[in-house]
Amino acid sequence: IAILSTLAIILAIVIVCVIVFGGNGDDKRPTKTNEPIQSVEPTVEVKVSALVVSSPRLIITEGDGATLNVSCVPELPAGKEIPEFTWKSSDESIATVNENGRVEGVKEGTATVIVYLKSNMDIFDECMVIVEKPVATKLEVVQLPTKTIYAIGEQLDTTGMVLKAFYNNGTEKEITDPAEYTVDCSMEGIGSRSATVYYEGVTAQYTVRVSLF
């Protein structure tokens, strides 16, 4: 009887252990997934090693202007903040430049415009700026001379005439001084004559009349 009691106790212990430690057979170990592990790319700082101006040579006229652009080497990645630049002119009496690279021609001559990387003035590029005199492209007679009818033998008189010259930089000039232009007109014979006015390579015409008296 004692042996049977002992066996019964042992069997009961075994059953309890199976129930407690055996569980329901589910595998409680974490399962592996096939999802890739995302790695964080290290941030690489791009350092500017050189500057390149959009044009190494710029020709403008007095009173006219143009804008120079600048790019960095190596090229900056998208979203990277553009560095600050410093612009300077070697002779502001000939050409000036503002903080945005806008160059303005002041008078005829040659100057050098230099752009520096503001954080490192040893990194720069330059552009030769040639400022030319504006070229007259058109001439008009806006007011006729006081005298347009002559008698035979009289000399041409341009007193009172007003001219206007138009230039390639969009400017205009009013001319009243006879010393600034020349006029060619044949006063021989009678009848209408065409007078040609010459000024800085351009011409204009007006009509005079020669009569017997």
Side-chain angles (χ1 to χ4, degrees):
I1 296 172
I3 294 172
L4 292 174
S5 298
T6 302
L7 291 174
I9 293 171
I10 293 172
L11 180 60
I13 293 172
V14 170
I15 293 171
V16 170
C17 289
V18 170
I19 294 172
V20 173
F21 297 103
N24 58 5
D26 293 339
D27 190 356
K28 299 300 182 178
R29 291 175 298 174
T31 58
K32 295 183 179 180
T33 65
N34 294 325
E35 295 181 2
I37 299 174
Q38 295 182 353
S39 60
V40 179
E41 294 292 336
T43 302
V44 179
E45 183 180 356
V46 178
K47 291 186 178 181
V48 176
S49 60
L51 299 180
V52 178
V53 178
S54 55
S55 176
R57 188 168 179 264
L58 180 66
I59 301 176
I60 55 178
T61 56
E62 293 178 9
D64 200 4
T67 300
L68 292 171
N69 297 314
V70 60
S71 56
C72 299
V73 178
E75 184 178 354
L76 299 177
K80 177 72 173 179
E81 185 178 357
I82 298 175
E84 293 184 335
F85 307 114
T86 299
W87 295 85
K88 291 185 179 181
S89 171
S90 63
D91 191 341
E92 292 191 344
S93 69
I94 293 175
T96 62
V97 61
N98 66 11
E99 67 276 8
N100 298 316
R102 178 69 181 179
V103 181
E104 299 288 343
V106 179
K107 71 175 183 179
E108 185 178 19
T110 302
T112 301
V113 167
I114 308 172
V115 57
Y116 297 90
L117 185 65
K118 193 170 184 178
S119 61
N120 185 352
M121 299 292 276
D122 290 330
I123 299 176
F124 64 91
D125 196 15
E126 59 187 40
C127 171
M128 177 185 292
V129 178
I130 301 171
V131 181
E132 299 178 337
K133 282 187 171 294
V135 177
T137 57
K138 183 180 178 182
L139 183 67
E140 289 183 358
V141 178
V142 295
Q143 182 175 306
L144 291 171
T146 304
K147 186 176 181 65
T148 57
I149 300 176
Y150 297 85
I152 294 177
E154 287 187 312
Q155 298 296 315
L156 188 69
D157 184 359
T158 60
T159 301
M161 183 166 67
V162 178
L163 305 172
K164 180 175 285 188
F166 300 84
Y167 292 86
N168 62 339
N169 63 350
T171 59
E172 303 174 1
K173 179 183 177 181
E174 188 174 273
I175 306 147
T176 57
D177 185 358
E180 294 189 67
Y181 59 83
T182 60
V183 182
D184 182 24
C185 182
S186 174
M187 302 297 286
E188 296 180 359
I190 60 174
S192 296
R193 298 286 185 271
S194 179
T196 302
V197 186
Y198 297 87
Y199 173 79
E200 292 189 0
V202 289
T203 62
Q205 294 182 327
Y206 68 96
T207 302
V208 298
R209 183 173 179 79
V210 180
S211 60
L212 289 175
F213 49 86

